[in-house]
Amino acid sequence: MAFFAVFPAVFFLALLSWRTCQSEVLAEHLPLTPESLSVSFSSSLQRLDLQWTVHKLPYQELQMVFPIEISRTETSKVIWMGNYSTIVKRNQVLHWSWESELPLECATHFVRIKSIVNDARFPELSFESNWSSWEEVHAHTPGQKPLLFPKDKLVEEGANVTFCFNSGRKHGMSCYLEEELIHGEQLDSNIFTFKLTNVPFIRQEGTHVYCGVNYDLLDGTVLFVSKVLEEPKNFSCETQDLKTLNCTWDPGVDTSLSYDRQQQNYILFESFSGKEKYCEHNKWCTWEISQDLEATYNFTLTAENYLRKRSVNSAFKPIDRVHPKAPESVQFENVGATSAVVTWKIPVLGNYFTLLCQIELHDKEDVRREHNVSIKVNGEFLFSELEPDTEYVVHIRCANSKRFWKWSEWVTHTLVTAQAAPSKALDVWRIVKSSKGFHNVTLFWKPLSKSHANGKILFYNIAAKNLDNESELKLLRIPAPANGTELTLDQGSYQIQVTANNSVGTSPASEIVIAADSGNEEVEEEKINGTNDGFLISWKPQSGEVTSYIVEWCEHPQNLHCDLQWKNLGPNTTETFISSEAFTPGIRYSFRIYKLSTEKTAYLVEKKTGYSQELAPLDSPQVAVKNLTSHSFTLSWEDYDTERQPGFIRGYYVCLKSNATHCHPGSVKESLPDKSTCCKHDISDPKQKTFLVKDLQPESFYEFSVSSYTSAGEGPNGTFTKVTTPEGRSHMLIYVVLPMTLCVLLIAITCYWKSQWVKEKCYPDIPDPYKSSILSLIKSKENPRITIMNVKDCIPDAIEVINKSEGTKAGCMGTLKPLTGSESSKPANNYQDFPCPAACISFENLTYNESACDSGSCAYIPGPATALPCQLGLLASPDNLPNTAEDAHTNFQGDIPAGEISLNYVAQLASPMSGDKDGLLINPPAPELCSEYKMQMAVPSHLSSPVPSEMAASPEPF
């Protein structure tokens, strides 16, 4: 027990003694101040490198902390403070670096350091040393010319860079980045600094930075900005020959510059073997397999450049990374029209692996068929159900079937099958035109598709058989690639067969029948509306047996060769949609629907016409003015062709301009582009091509234009035509004068008719002697010299006036002397006194009267002028004869008492020869017969006596 009581006291005294001894040891080595401090710098890295030692360590190693201060320009301007913690060993040289944002050449830097023991094992040593003295660093020699720092610095894209410019106390200084002004701050009187943030990549040759005073360049530098180095992507290794590993990767963005120090390198390191290889390429590298294929490889790929490093890892077994080479020696055997055998070989791998090979078969329409085959070294596969004369593309690739890693590269070869006879009949159609007793038939057929031609078509056979005379047969051979021909047939019925032929055989025959009445069908055309995509064509189901319907149209109807197209449809179809890239807006397309009977005869059933897209009319009608009056006129455009317009004409607009302020009912006022107005009338009937403009003012000025419109809009406005209405009174005058003229004309006709009636009743025409049948009879029998006496041939002879007094024998009141030959030319009346045998007035009219001559009775026969005691000789023209007689009668009547005067008219003396007037005047002959004269007597009523029968028979007015 005494021992246990004494032991604690002894232990405490021993420990106290040890601590005292330890304190004495430490007291001998304190303080632990850093010594031998030296500072160096790297301008390219803008880095300060510190180096120092700590002497007299009491132990082999201590955990220590070294506070560090860095000042700029002055020791009092501390710009950075920090601690560097490390384990310090005896006689160890310590190193530490600091990178400056500001180039070291821009200012003087100062560095100092002290130490702190921070070792938990020795808490009694936890105290600080004194600061070392300031170490001064000069990176730039004072007094040099102005310089811009840093020089040719290399940074990554997006980094921040600080520049400084030693201006040498110059003012007006400015700096630029690629001609862009940079704003900065004055560090001191000589140093100007500026900072670029997030610097961009501009070019591999670097970015230019320069400074100057008043546009005077003092110094400049190049800032090299590289892309950020990326981590390699898709790093993997594989083998194709079981001897070499091929490692590949995606390097990402290329960080290379034209700067020599910027190199992008790749290093491949295998951790199990400890081997390392510098890769010569940036995307791949090879590695020799030296171990068993079942061994594991662990690779590290490191990418590095001057600024940073990036690395990736991959671990694998070579047996799991087998990538076969592409198949070789591909051949085709036993190639037929529908089958072929393909063979191939896989090199290098030998019989160590079972390979899975994939075979793809493609035709030109990109239809793909896939097949999988397991092989060792040689492969073989049979293709069946192929198309004749078809080109196929065969692809083959293989892979390790048990430990699949990758397919081999595709190998591609071409297979062409043999030809066969065409397997489908041609799609045939026709156009029939009848004229002059013949059918002009144009045949068309569509070329067979590649899958149905089964080879190159060489020619087409055409056989036309007359169904009315089967012995008549026409055969034609049309060389390919023709798709039509023309036939001239009589107007009988014909059966036409068309076949296609290649080098192997003939296609099934296509049959069509041309009826005797083909080409004469008349069907009313129906308008339809199309769309930009095409036309929806529909028709009514047809009665009877129908095998199919055919719709035909022309894709280019305005061309001479319209490019006829047709579509063959089933018998139960009643509509179809026709689309084509050739359909153009504004072009009218016509569609004809035929039904095909069981006898292969086509009958036209319907016609359609329309536009895929209607457009406004191209031109305006040419208008003529008709029936112009003072109040109206008619517009006519009968010659306007609506069929050639780019849309269905829906109607017309008639625009009338006048001085009137209001429009007539049925028209609306509309403003024109020239700011004038017109009255616009809408004619909604496209067939109406005339328009009556009425209710106009006389002598007024009007302008009109006519334009057509479709569903797409109105056509161009035509030129306004000017019309002036005529005067209104002239128009009224026509209505007044015309009826009056008609009335006057009617009255004149009526009066003329009445006058003729009165004349016929009261004054009948004297018979024309020349037209007397009696005269012709006399001439022929008795005397051919007998003629008709004309009035112009008569010469007045004499008028005898006889006065008679009661109980006495009286003489004439005046004696008339006959005219002598020399006096005959005077127009005056001359009289000759001669004794009157009786108290009477006698006028003798010597007129031809054959009947009197025959009877031998004459009232009075004058003799020669000398022997006529009471003869009045009067020479005057026949026209003056009545006046002369009237004057004589008047004169005599005044002197002769009434009832005592007798007038005897002695008429003209007829010439013995017709037309001999001169001879009559010179030597008037005496009439041979009394029958040549006719005497008329004018006797007062109280002295009248019965008229002789001869005179009563032939009364003659004078």
Side-chain angles (χ1 to χ4, degrees), residues 374-397:
S374 294
I375 66 169
K376 286 289 186 180
V377 176
N378 298 323
E380 180 180 308
F381 184 78
L382 172 64
F383 293 114
S384 60
E385 298 180 358
L386 303 179
E387 298 292 337
D389 192 42
T390 303
E391 182 178 295
Y392 293 94
V393 177
V394 179
H395 302 283
I396 305 175
R397 64 179 180 179

PDB file of all heavy atoms in Angstrom, residues 374-397:
ATOM      1  N   SER A 374     -25.592 -17.251 -90.074  1.00  0.00           N
ATOM      2  CA  SER A 374     -24.463 -17.570 -89.177  1.00  0.00           C
ATOM      3  C   SER A 374     -23.424 -18.352 -89.966  1.00  0.00           C
ATOM      4  O   SER A 374     -23.742 -19.352 -90.630  1.00  0.00           O
ATOM      5  CB  SER A 374     -24.937 -18.392 -87.977  1.00  0.00           C
ATOM      6  OG  SER A 374     -25.808 -17.612 -87.174  1.00  0.00           O
ATOM      7  N   ILE A 375     -22.152 -17.904 -89.884  1.00  0.00           N
ATOM      8  CA  ILE A 375     -21.096 -18.546 -90.650  1.00  0.00           C
ATOM      9  C   ILE A 375     -19.842 -18.632 -89.784  1.00  0.00           C
ATOM     10  O   ILE A 375     -19.754 -18.033 -88.705  1.00  0.00           O
ATOM     11  CB  ILE A 375     -20.789 -17.782 -91.940  1.00  0.00           C
ATOM     12  CG1 ILE A 375     -20.196 -16.397 -91.594  1.00  0.00           C
ATOM     13  CG2 ILE A 375     -22.011 -17.654 -92.828  1.00  0.00           C
ATOM     14  CD1 ILE A 375     -19.626 -15.682 -92.785  1.00  0.00           C
ATOM     15  N   LYS A 376     -18.840 -19.357 -90.286  1.00  0.00           N
ATOM     16  CA  LYS A 376     -17.503 -19.386 -89.684  1.00  0.00           C
ATOM     17  C   LYS A 376     -16.556 -18.489 -90.485  1.00  0.00           C
ATOM     18  O   LYS A 376     -16.098 -17.459 -89.999  1.00  0.00           O
ATOM     19  CB  LYS A 376     -16.958 -20.810 -89.654  1.00  0.00           C
ATOM     20  CG  LYS A 376     -17.592 -21.698 -88.614  1.00  0.00           C
ATOM     21  CD  LYS A 376     -17.156 -21.288 -87.207  1.00  0.00           C
ATOM     22  CE  LYS A 376     -17.681 -22.271 -86.167  1.00  0.00           C
ATOM     23  NZ  LYS A 376     -17.265 -21.876 -84.797  1.00  0.00           N
ATOM     24  N   VAL A 377     -16.276 -18.913 -91.706  1.00  0.00           N
ATOM     25  CA  VAL A 377     -15.372 -18.127 -92.558  1.00  0.00           C
ATOM     26  C   VAL A 377     -16.071 -17.754 -93.859  1.00  0.00           C
ATOM     27  O   VAL A 377     -16.086 -16.582 -94.251  1.00  0.00           O
ATOM     28  CB  VAL A 377     -14.076 -18.904 -92.842  1.00  0.00           C
ATOM     29  CG1 VAL A 377     -13.189 -18.110 -93.800  1.00  0.00           C
ATOM     30  CG2 VAL A 377     -13.331 -19.209 -91.557  1.00  0.00           C
ATOM     31  N   ASN A 378     -16.665 -18.732 -94.551  1.00  0.00           N
ATOM     32  CA  ASN A 378     -17.313 -18.513 -95.846  1.00  0.00           C
ATOM     33  C   ASN A 378     -18.825 -18.447 -95.662  1.00  0.00           C
ATOM     34  O   ASN A 378     -19.422 -19.238 -94.907  1.00  0.00           O
ATOM     35  CB  ASN A 378     -16.954 -19.635 -96.818  1.00  0.00           C
ATOM     36  CG  ASN A 378     -15.457 -19.695 -97.086  1.00  0.00           C
ATOM     37  OD1 ASN A 378     -14.806 -18.648 -97.166  1.00  0.00           O
ATOM     38  ND2 ASN A 378     -14.903 -20.900 -97.194  1.00  0.00           N
ATOM     39  N   GLY A 379     -19.456 -17.535 -96.387  1.00  0.00           N
ATOM     40  CA  GLY A 379     -20.900 -17.384 -96.309  1.00  0.00           C
ATOM     41  C   GLY A 379     -21.560 -17.559 -97.654  1.00  0.00           C
ATOM     42  O   GLY A 379     -20.957 -17.314 -98.714  1.00  0.00           O
ATOM     43  N   GLU A 380     -22.842 -18.003 -97.640  1.00  0.00           N
ATOM     44  CA  GLU A 380     -23.612 -18.213 -98.869  1.00  0.00           C
ATOM     45  C   GLU A 380     -25.090 -18.014 -98.564  1.00  0.00           C
ATOM     46  O   GLU A 380     -25.584 -18.433 -97.506  1.00  0.00           O
ATOM     47  CB  GLU A 380     -23.356 -19.626 -99.413  1.00  0.00           C
ATOM     48  CG  GLU A 380     -24.128 -19.928-100.697  1.00  0.00           C
ATOM     49  CD  GLU A 380     -23.839 -21.335-101.205  1.00  0.00           C
ATOM     50  OE1 GLU A 380     -22.643 -21.672-101.338  1.00  0.00           O
ATOM     51  OE2 GLU A 380     -24.802 -22.089-101.452  1.00  0.00           O
ATOM     52  N   PHE A 381     -25.808 -17.359 -99.561  1.00  0.00           N
ATOM     53  CA  PHE A 381     -27.245 -17.133 -99.359  1.00  0.00           C
ATOM     54  C   PHE A 381     -27.932 -17.096-100.719  1.00  0.00           C
ATOM     55  O   PHE A 381     -27.392 -16.587-101.710  1.00  0.00           O
ATOM     56  CB  PHE A 381     -27.489 -15.821 -98.614  1.00  0.00           C
ATOM     57  CG  PHE A 381     -28.937 -15.586 -98.292  1.00  0.00           C
ATOM     58  CD1 PHE A 381     -29.538 -16.243 -97.240  1.00  0.00           C
ATOM     59  CD2 PHE A 381     -29.708 -14.714 -99.053  1.00  0.00           C
ATOM     60  CE1 PHE A 381     -30.884 -16.045 -96.952  1.00  0.00           C
ATOM     61  CE2 PHE A 381     -31.043 -14.506 -98.770  1.00  0.00           C
ATOM     62  CZ  PHE A 381     -31.634 -15.171 -97.713  1.00  0.00           C
ATOM     63  N   LEU A 382     -29.205 -17.679-100.764  1.00  0.00           N
ATOM     64  CA  LEU A 382     -30.007 -17.734-101.982  1.00  0.00           C
ATOM     65  C   LEU A 382     -31.075 -16.656-101.941  1.00  0.00           C
ATOM     66  O   LEU A 382     -31.909 -16.628-101.024  1.00  0.00           O
ATOM     67  CB  LEU A 382     -30.662 -19.115-102.130  1.00  0.00           C
ATOM     68  CG  LEU A 382     -31.685 -19.259-103.266  1.00  0.00           C
ATOM     69  CD1 LEU A 382     -31.009 -19.081-104.633  1.00  0.00           C
ATOM     70  CD2 LEU A 382     -32.400 -20.605-103.182  1.00  0.00           C
ATOM     71  N   PHE A 383     -31.069 -15.776-102.943  1.00  0.00           N
ATOM     72  CA  PHE A 383     -32.148 -14.788-103.114  1.00  0.00           C
ATOM     73  C   PHE A 383     -33.215 -15.376-104.012  1.00  0.00           C
ATOM     74  O   PHE A 383     -32.911 -15.913-105.093  1.00  0.00           O
ATOM     75  CB  PHE A 383     -31.622 -13.503-103.758  1.00  0.00           C
ATOM     76  CG  PHE A 383     -30.677 -12.724-102.889  1.00  0.00           C
ATOM     77  CD1 PHE A 383     -29.349 -12.571-103.245  1.00  0.00           C
ATOM     78  CD2 PHE A 383     -31.117 -12.153-101.702  1.00  0.00           C
ATOM     79  CE1 PHE A 383     -28.481 -11.852-102.457  1.00  0.00           C
ATOM     80  CE2 PHE A 383     -30.248 -11.435-100.900  1.00  0.00           C
ATOM     81  CZ  PHE A 383     -28.927 -11.276-101.282  1.00  0.00           C
ATOM     82  N   SER A 384     -34.477 -15.258-103.606  1.00  0.00           N
ATOM     83  CA  SER A 384     -35.600 -15.745-104.421  1.00  0.00           C
ATOM     84  C   SER A 384     -36.661 -14.649-104.534  1.00  0.00           C
ATOM     85  O   SER A 384     -36.603 -13.622-103.852  1.00  0.00           O
ATOM     86  CB  SER A 384     -36.206 -17.016-103.801  1.00  0.00           C
ATOM     87  OG  SER A 384     -36.679 -16.740-102.488  1.00  0.00           O
ATOM     88  N   GLU A 385     -37.652 -14.914-105.402  1.00  0.00           N
ATOM     89  CA  GLU A 385     -38.768 -13.978-105.635  1.00  0.00           C
ATOM     90  C   GLU A 385     -38.266 -12.598-106.057  1.00  0.00           C
ATOM     91  O   GLU A 385     -38.746 -11.562-105.604  1.00  0.00           O
ATOM     92  CB  GLU A 385     -39.650 -13.869-104.388  1.00  0.00           C
ATOM     93  CG  GLU A 385     -40.302 -15.180-103.994  1.00  0.00           C
ATOM     94  CD  GLU A 385     -41.169 -15.034-102.752  1.00  0.00           C
ATOM     95  OE1 GLU A 385     -41.214 -13.903-102.211  1.00  0.00           O
ATOM     96  OE2 GLU A 385     -41.798 -16.016-102.350  1.00  0.00           O
ATOM     97  N   LEU A 386     -37.287 -12.618-106.934  1.00  0.00           N
ATOM     98  CA  LEU A 386     -36.778 -11.362-107.471  1.00  0.00           C
ATOM     99  C   LEU A 386     -37.567 -10.960-108.714  1.00  0.00           C
ATOM    100  O   LEU A 386     -38.285 -11.770-109.312  1.00  0.00           O
ATOM    101  CB  LEU A 386     -35.290 -11.504-107.825  1.00  0.00           C
ATOM    102  CG  LEU A 386     -34.359 -11.934-106.682  1.00  0.00           C
ATOM    103  CD1 LEU A 386     -32.937 -12.060-107.199  1.00  0.00           C
ATOM    104  CD2 LEU A 386     -34.433 -10.952-105.521  1.00  0.00           C
ATOM    105  N   GLU A 387     -37.432  -9.681-109.103  1.00  0.00           N
ATOM    106  CA  GLU A 387     -38.083  -9.184-110.308  1.00  0.00           C
ATOM    107  C   GLU A 387     -37.135  -9.336-111.495  1.00  0.00           C
ATOM    108  O   GLU A 387     -35.936  -9.082-111.380  1.00  0.00           O
ATOM    109  CB  GLU A 387     -38.457  -7.711-110.137  1.00  0.00           C
ATOM    110  CG  GLU A 387     -39.439  -7.440-109.021  1.00  0.00           C
ATOM    111  CD  GLU A 387     -40.820  -8.003-109.323  1.00  0.00           C
ATOM    112  OE1 GLU A 387     -41.110  -8.185-110.525  1.00  0.00           O
ATOM    113  OE2 GLU A 387     -41.591  -8.255-108.376  1.00  0.00           O
ATOM    114  N   PRO A 388     -37.692  -9.715-112.659  1.00  0.00           N
ATOM    115  CA  PRO A 388     -36.827  -9.849-113.838  1.00  0.00           C
ATOM    116  C   PRO A 388     -36.253  -8.499-114.268  1.00  0.00           C
ATOM    117  O   PRO A 388     -36.874  -7.449-114.093  1.00  0.00           O
ATOM    118  CB  PRO A 388     -37.769 -10.415-114.913  1.00  0.00           C
ATOM    119  CG  PRO A 388     -38.905 -11.017-114.141  1.00  0.00           C
ATOM    120  CD  PRO A 388     -39.064 -10.178-112.913  1.00  0.00           C
ATOM    121  N   ASP A 389     -35.049  -8.556-114.840  1.00  0.00           N
ATOM    122  CA  ASP A 389     -34.371  -7.373-115.381  1.00  0.00           C
ATOM    123  C   ASP A 389     -34.415  -6.211-114.391  1.00  0.00           C
ATOM    124  O   ASP A 389     -34.779  -5.088-114.741  1.00  0.00           O
ATOM    125  CB  ASP A 389     -35.004  -6.963-116.714  1.00  0.00           C
ATOM    126  CG  ASP A 389     -34.157  -5.925-117.440  1.00  0.00           C
ATOM    127  OD1 ASP A 389     -32.929  -6.068-117.460  1.00  0.00           O
ATOM    128  OD2 ASP A 389     -34.735  -4.940-117.949  1.00  0.00           O
ATOM    129  N   THR A 390     -34.034  -6.505-113.183  1.00  0.00           N
ATOM    130  CA  THR A 390     -34.053  -5.500-112.119  1.00  0.00           C
ATOM    131  C   THR A 390     -32.675  -5.416-111.489  1.00  0.00           C
ATOM    132  O   THR A 390     -32.021  -6.430-111.258  1.00  0.00           O
ATOM    133  CB  THR A 390     -35.101  -5.852-111.047  1.00  0.00           C
ATOM    134  OG1 THR A 390     -36.377  -5.965-111.681  1.00  0.00           O
ATOM    135  CG2 THR A 390     -35.169  -4.782-109.971  1.00  0.00           C
ATOM    136  N   GLU A 391     -32.265  -4.207-111.217  1.00  0.00           N
ATOM    137  CA  GLU A 391     -30.978  -3.986-110.580  1.00  0.00           C
ATOM    138  C   GLU A 391     -31.168  -3.886-109.076  1.00  0.00           C
ATOM    139  O   GLU A 391     -31.950  -3.056-108.597  1.00  0.00           O
ATOM    140  CB  GLU A 391     -30.342  -2.704-111.122  1.00  0.00           C
ATOM    141  CG  GLU A 391     -28.965  -2.418-110.537  1.00  0.00           C
ATOM    142  CD  GLU A 391     -28.342  -1.172-111.116  1.00  0.00           C
ATOM    143  OE1 GLU A 391     -28.061  -1.173-112.332  1.00  0.00           O
ATOM    144  OE2 GLU A 391     -28.159  -0.194-110.360  1.00  0.00           O
ATOM    145  N   TYR A 392     -30.471  -4.724-108.334  1.00  0.00           N
ATOM    146  CA  TYR A 392     -30.534  -4.749-106.873  1.00  0.00           C
ATOM    147  C   TYR A 392     -29.169  -4.365-106.311  1.00  0.00           C
ATOM    148  O   TYR A 392     -28.134  -4.588-106.947  1.00  0.00           O
ATOM    149  CB  TYR A 392     -30.916  -6.138-106.354  1.00  0.00           C
ATOM    150  CG  TYR A 392     -32.334  -6.552-106.695  1.00  0.00           C
ATOM    151  CD1 TYR A 392     -32.597  -7.315-107.838  1.00  0.00           C
ATOM    152  CD2 TYR A 392     -33.403  -6.209-105.864  1.00  0.00           C
ATOM    153  CE1 TYR A 392     -33.883  -7.706-108.148  1.00  0.00           C
ATOM    154  CE2 TYR A 392     -34.687  -6.605-106.171  1.00  0.00           C
ATOM    155  CZ  TYR A 392     -34.934  -7.343-107.316  1.00  0.00           C
ATOM    156  OH  TYR A 392     -36.208  -7.731-107.617  1.00  0.00           O
ATOM    157  N   VAL A 393     -29.202  -3.786-105.135  1.00  0.00           N
ATOM    158  CA  VAL A 393     -27.982  -3.471-104.395  1.00  0.00           C
ATOM    159  C   VAL A 393     -27.938  -4.363-103.160  1.00  0.00           C
ATOM    160  O   VAL A 393     -28.895  -4.374-102.361  1.00  0.00           O
ATOM    161  CB  VAL A 393     -27.935  -1.981-104.000  1.00  0.00           C
ATOM    162  CG1 VAL A 393     -26.691  -1.692-103.175  1.00  0.00           C
ATOM    163  CG2 VAL A 393     -27.967  -1.110-105.244  1.00  0.00           C
ATOM    164  N   VAL A 394     -26.846  -5.116-103.010  1.00  0.00           N
ATOM    165  CA  VAL A 394     -26.696  -6.070-101.906  1.00  0.00           C
ATOM    166  C   VAL A 394     -25.663  -5.525-100.922  1.00  0.00           C
ATOM    167  O   VAL A 394     -24.545  -5.167-101.312  1.00  0.00           O
ATOM    168  CB  VAL A 394     -26.264  -7.459-102.429  1.00  0.00           C
ATOM    169  CG1 VAL A 394     -26.082  -8.432-101.273  1.00  0.00           C
ATOM    170  CG2 VAL A 394     -27.291  -7.981-103.432  1.00  0.00           C
ATOM    171  N   HIS A 395     -26.056  -5.442 -99.614  1.00  0.00           N
ATOM    172  CA  HIS A 395     -25.154  -5.016 -98.547  1.00  0.00           C
ATOM    173  C   HIS A 395     -24.921  -6.200 -97.601  1.00  0.00           C
ATOM    174  O   HIS A 395     -25.884  -6.874 -97.224  1.00  0.00           O
ATOM    175  CB  HIS A 395     -25.746  -3.853 -97.746  1.00  0.00           C
ATOM    176  CG  HIS A 395     -26.059  -2.644 -98.587  1.00  0.00           C
ATOM    177  ND1 HIS A 395     -25.101  -1.785 -99.026  1.00  0.00           N
ATOM    178  CD2 HIS A 395     -27.238  -2.182 -99.060  1.00  0.00           C
ATOM    179  CE1 HIS A 395     -25.668  -0.822 -99.731  1.00  0.00           C
ATOM    180  NE2 HIS A 395     -26.973  -1.049 -99.766  1.00  0.00           N
ATOM    181  N   ILE A 396     -23.663  -6.414 -97.197  1.00  0.00           N
ATOM    182  CA  ILE A 396     -23.330  -7.511 -96.274  1.00  0.00           C
ATOM    183  C   ILE A 396     -22.395  -6.965 -95.195  1.00  0.00           C
ATOM    184  O   ILE A 396     -21.427  -6.248 -95.494  1.00  0.00           O
ATOM    185  CB  ILE A 396     -22.647  -8.691 -97.007  1.00  0.00           C
ATOM    186  CG1 ILE A 396     -23.522  -9.173 -98.170  1.00  0.00           C
ATOM    187  CG2 ILE A 396     -22.359  -9.822 -96.038  1.00  0.00           C
ATOM    188  CD1 ILE A 396     -22.853 -10.241 -99.006  1.00  0.00           C
ATOM    189  N   ARG A 397     -22.661  -7.356 -93.928  1.00  0.00           N
ATOM    190  CA  ARG A 397     -21.766  -7.036 -92.811  1.00  0.00           C
ATOM    191  C   ARG A 397     -21.867  -8.167 -91.786  1.00  0.00           C
ATOM    192  O   ARG A 397     -22.876  -8.888 -91.748  1.00  0.00           O
ATOM    193  CB  ARG A 397     -22.125  -5.704 -92.170  1.00  0.00           C
ATOM    194  CG  ARG A 397     -23.498  -5.668 -91.518  1.00  0.00           C
ATOM    195  CD  ARG A 397     -23.757  -4.318 -90.896  1.00  0.00           C
ATOM    196  NE  ARG A 397     -25.080  -4.268 -90.262  1.00  0.00           N
ATOM    197  CZ  ARG A 397     -25.552  -3.198 -89.617  1.00  0.00           C
ATOM    198  NH1 ARG A 397     -24.809  -2.102 -89.516  1.00  0.00           N
ATOM    199  NH2 ARG A 397     -26.747  -3.224 -89.070  1.00  0.00           N
TER     200      ARG A 397
END
